[in-house]
Amino acid sequence: MPNAAIQSIAMSVAERVMTNEEFEKIVETSDEWIQTRTGIKERRVAEPGQSSSYFGAIAAADALKRAGVNPEDVDMVICATVTGDHLFPGTACLIQERIGAKNAGAFDVGAACAGFIYAAEVASSMIRNGTIRNAVVVGVDTLTHFVDWSDRSTCVLFGDGGGAAYMEATEEDRGIVATVMLSDGSGAKHIKIEKGGSLYPPSRPQSEGKCSTLYMAGKEVFRFAVRAMADSCHKVLEKAGLTADDVTLFCPHQANLRIITAAAEHLGLPMERVFVNVQKYGNMGAGSIPVALYEAEAEGALKKGDLVMTVGFGAGLVWGANLIRW
Ligand code: UT7
């Protein structure tokens, strides 16, 4: 069986920078509160019309360019997102069309902030079993289109953008070494956008009074996140027969610096081996892990042959981790 290596990675985030100071003018908050509780200093905010496929396609096209691959040679486009352009068609199809991947299949993966973990494993499994030769795996979200800008407990947390990885079959000792994917639907109530799906469709009587903006029970999600990070990291290391000492770089979902440091502490990983960029982007949902991987590589923190551990958690509830030989 071949391995499925990440041959290239790219990112695309919204251009507009929104600082904590700007929030002081629209809700009762402060730069000090946001920084101490979350680690976020600024985030990127998409313009109206800049949807998830917009950033996803830019990143996907760039990943292919970096790998020197013709879009017509791509077998599959997978997009991890919960903020797709539409309920349907899938955002992966819109990306497939924009990048000119004429001969590829395309589908979305909805696993919230763990979406890239799930999508990378799906691509890897399909490549390894021979169903496809290669895939473009996108993780992208534009959550600011869905926040309630008057709710200080959520509007300061999110940013827009994502990244894309080009994965292909290789005989080299690279690619996903082990993955764990977990869920607990009893926690579905803790992060959600209630209206707009088939239970509460827009403009239907049963949807009256239901919320079409993002709701999050912050404290519950915080407690879950700390547990989920530790749980999935331990499980994925155990599955691979490795320990935290073998990990070159820990690249977690970027939701909150306190969650990241708690997880690193729990794993006994010094912060020099933990990649953090939440201060620049806030929480970009499924986009945060590929953007972190891209920046880690660009900064020289992640090199070919290194062992990187990614971990994500989010609405569902879902969580999971990949161990990747870069
Ligand atoms: O990717 C999806 C996963 N999502 C997450 O990982 C988010 C997980 N949760 C969190 O990161 C944290 O729970 C938050 C950052 C959302 C909140 O931090 P916290 O330390 O749990 O604060 P809290 O919710 O307990 O709120 C403490 C106080 C409250 O005031 P009272 O009731 O003590 O008077 C809030 O109303 O802080 C208040 N507050 C704010 N104050 C200033 C909440 N948001 C703000 C704000 N500015 N933006």
Side-chain angles (χ1 to χ4, degrees), residues 29 33 37 113 152 216 218-219 253 255-256 258 283 313:
T29 191
W33 191 96
R37 298 296 178 116
C113 305
R152 68 177 182 176
M216 181 168 72
K219 265 205 184 324
H253 170 49
N256 184 318
R258 288 189 295 146
N283 180 348
F313 55 88

Side-chain angles (χ1 to χ4, degrees), residues 1 16 39 42 138 159 177 216 220 231 234 249 280 282 304:
M1 222 189 236
R16 172 156 143 57
E42 58 189 40
V138 179
V177 176
M216 181 168 72
E220 282 77 3
D231 178 49
H234 282 306
L249 190 71
K280 292 195 288 183
K304 202 172 169 179

Side-chain angles (χ1 to χ4, degrees), residues 24-325:
E24 291 175 357
K25 295 179 197 134
I26 59 171
V27 287
E28 208 184 315
T29 191
S30 65
D31 174 46
E32 199 262 333
W33 191 96
I34 301 171
Q35 281 208 50
T36 48
R37 298 296 178 116
T38 72
I40 301 167
K41 293 185 177 146
E42 58 189 40
R43 72 288 292 142
R44 303 302 187 93
V45 177
E47 304 295 338
Q50 288 184 332
S51 60
S52 292
S53 76
Y54 172 82
F55 298 108
I58 294 171
D62 193 29
L64 290 178
K65 197 168 151 211
R66 285 165 185 275
V69 171
N70 182 339
E72 295 188 8
D73 293 331
V74 172
D75 284 351
M76 190 63 73
V77 178
I78 305 176
C79 181
T81 188
V82 285
T83 54
D85 290 27
H86 312 284
L87 264 184
F88 63 88
T91 299
C93 294
L94 306 178
I95 294 171
Q96 174 269 336
E97 198 271 333
R98 281 201 198 179
I99 64 174
K102 286 184 185 150
N103 301 305
F107 64 96
D108 290 357
V109 167
C113 305
F116 192 78
I117 306 277
Y118 276 63
E121 174 57 38
V122 170
S124 172
S125 297
M126 287 197 292
I127 291 168
R128 298 192 72 213
N129 72 23
T131 307
I132 56 175
R133 293 164 304 167
N134 61 39
V136 175
V137 183
V138 179
V140 65
D141 271 306
T142 46
L143 286 152
T144 75
H145 290 316
F146 299 90
V147 298
D148 173 354
W149 289 97
S150 66
D151 174 9
R152 68 177 182 176
S153 70
T154 53
C155 70
V156 301
L157 303 174
F158 299 98
D160 301 324
Y166 171 71
M167 296 177 73
E168 75 180 4
T170 179
E171 293 305 322
E172 286 175 47
D173 182 21
R174 293 169 58 217
I176 296 183
V177 176
T179 294
V180 293
M181 294 173 286
L182 298 145
S183 71
D184 176 9
S186 72
K189 56 186 178 287
H190 294 318
I191 325 180
K192 60 184 175 184
I193 295 177
E194 210 165 28
K195 191 164 144 185
S198 53
L199 184 58
Y200 299 117
S203 353
R204 288 289 185 275
Q206 73 266 32
S207 311
E208 195 110 337
K210 297 296 170 191
C211 198
S212 51
T213 52
L214 187 151
Y215 164 82
M216 181 168 72
K219 265 205 184 324
E220 282 77 3
V221 176
F222 189 96
R223 277 195 291 268
F224 149 70
V226 173
R227 266 198 327 271
M229 297 268 256
D231 178 49
S232 39
C233 290
H234 282 306
K235 284 188 172 133
V236 81
L237 285 167
E238 194 184 339
K239 201 168 174 183
L242 297 167
T243 71
D245 288 344
D246 298 307
V247 173
T248 323
L249 190 71
F250 180 42
C251 216
H253 170 49
Q254 308 282 318
N256 184 318
L257 183 60
R258 288 189 295 146
I259 296 173
I260 296 172
T261 48
E265 230 166 76
H266 187 88
L267 290 160
L269 278 169
M271 286 309 281
E272 304 87 75
R273 282 201 276 146
V274 181
F275 192 80
V276 177
N277 63 5
V278 68
Q279 71 281 3
K280 292 195 288 183
Y281 301 120
N283 180 348
M284 294 192 289
S288 85
I289 290 173
V291 168
L293 289 170
Y294 170 84
E295 291 203 329
E297 187 182 65
E299 289 173 19
L302 184 55
K303 299 184 194 69
K304 202 172 169 179
D306 285 349
L307 188 70
V308 56
M309 181 162 65
T310 57
V311 56
F313 55 88
L317 300 167
V318 290
W319 64 106
N322 300 132
L323 264 180
I324 307 168
R325 181 72 60 194

